[in-house]
Structures are given as C-alpha cells and as structure tokens.
Amino acid sequence: MQRTLIATATAAGLTLGAGTASAADWFPIADEGFSAQPSVAVAGGTQELDWDGADSGSVAGIELAMNCGLFAPEQGRIRQQISLTQYDEDGLETTHLELNPHYLFVDDGPLTVGAGPGLGYVDADRDGGGDDGAFALQAGASVNYDFGPAFVGAEARYQWTTEADFGNNVEEDLSNTRVMAKVGVNF
C-alpha cells in the first residue's frame, strides 16, 4: 500500500511539473502544424528486481516514441514512449509493456532531457511455477542526443507493481529498477 501511495504521488508530481494548460493546449494533433516526429529504438541494459529470488540481469527491447498528440504544455514538450522489454534470469522471465510520457525540460537542439511517470503491465513466467501478470506504475528519466536521423540515449526507471501469483502460495512483487542505453532512428 505504501509503495502504491509513493508511486501515485510521484506520478502526480511529475505530471503536474509539466505545467498547466489552457483549453487551447489540448489536442495539438488537431493543429495543422503538429508534427509527431516518431522514432524507433532498440534498448538494452540491466534490470534488478526487488524480489530476493531473482538476481539482476539483462533487459532488452524496443521503443516507439512520438510527440504527444493529446496535450501540449506552455513550455517544453511531452514525448510519449511506448516500450516492450524482456528480462530472463534465474528461471524468471518477464515481459513489460509500458507507456511512459516524458516531459522534456531540456530540449536544446540535438540534446533532450526528460522525466515522467508511466503505466505498464508485466507478464511473468517462473520456471517450475506458474505464470501471472501484474499492473505497474513507474517513474523514469531519460537523455537523448541526435546525430542527424540517428540518436543515442540512456534511461533509468523504477517500476512499482502489484503482486504476481505463481501458485503454490508463491506471490511476489515484481517491482524493479532498470537502467538502459538505446540507439534509434528519428523519422
């Protein structure tokens, strides 16, 4: 319960930190000058679960990002990131599907730095046990640097989850910390 409250407070604070908006700032996708500026990246790094039964291990995946079409803050910009990642270590395999809007508070030419909350779902499969899913809240920060159409970046994220029920009286929290590097292409 305490983790859920912390996650909710963190997500609300990061979202409110993006500034207030007038009615004209909603649905920038309807503005003829809107540009989604999509990008695709591959990402890899390390993930450490809070669960004592799982060691830190490799995590890898893909990410699709674009400018937010629903909300435009007065300053800065919101970048929606949709990611699919996978971790497989010590008999535990997790697949994470996440939506992470990041408010870019540094948006200076090729350099962007942002932070934001996120929602996700974690599908977990344990060797010798069952499989289950868990809903997730997360908070993260990222930095990207563009080299023409290509970019490199890094991201750190903490994810709070509900408990997964693996059967045989094994219920585990899948909360985790993740640090990843990414390489991608801007379209």
Side-chain angles (χ1 to χ4, degrees):
M1 180 67 173
Q2 181 181 4
R3 287 185 178 178
T4 302
L5 291 173
I6 292 169
T8 303
T10 301
L14 289 170
T15 302
L16 293 174
T20 59
S22 66
D25 294 326
W26 288 96
F27 302 109
I29 197 166
D31 184 353
E32 70 180 58
F34 176 77
S35 175
Q37 298 176 328
S39 64
V40 176
V42 293
T46 185
Q47 176 175 299
E48 183 171 345
L49 279 91
D50 291 352
W51 176 15
D52 290 336
D55 291 330
S56 64
S58 299
V59 62
I62 59 171
E63 176 184 275
L64 170 66
M66 66 193 83
N67 289 336
C68 182
L70 300 177
F71 180 71
E74 291 177 18
Q75 296 179 1
R77 128 179 103 114
I78 297 175
R79 191 93 172 131
Q80 294 286 3
Q81 300 174 131
I82 301 164
S83 60
L84 181 65
T85 58
Q86 191 167 43
Y87 160 93
D88 189 354
E89 189 76 28
D90 294 332
L92 177 66
E93 182 178 324
T94 62
T95 302
H96 304 248
L97 177 62
E98 303 164 357
L99 174 63
N100 299 290
H102 278 199
Y103 172 71
L104 303 180
F105 51 88
V106 173
D107 194 2
D108 186 17
L111 178 67
T112 59
V113 179
L119 297 173
Y121 183 77
V122 181
D123 182 59
D125 186 9
R126 188 171 162 247
D127 288 350
D131 61 339
D132 197 14
F135 289 98
L137 292 173
Q138 57 254 357
S142 63
V143 59
N144 288 338
Y145 193 87
D146 292 342
F147 296 96
F151 72 91
V152 295
E155 182 168 314
R157 183 177 308 156
Y158 186 81
Q159 184 175 66
W160 296 269
T161 70
T162 58
E163 286 188 344
D165 184 355
F166 295 109
N168 297 326
N169 294 320
V170 178
E171 292 184 11
E172 290 296 339
D173 181 334
L174 298 173
S175 297
N176 62 83
T177 303
R178 189 177 323 155
V179 177
M180 296 192 303
K182 47 188 163 182
V183 177
V185 177
N186 297 310
F187 295 99

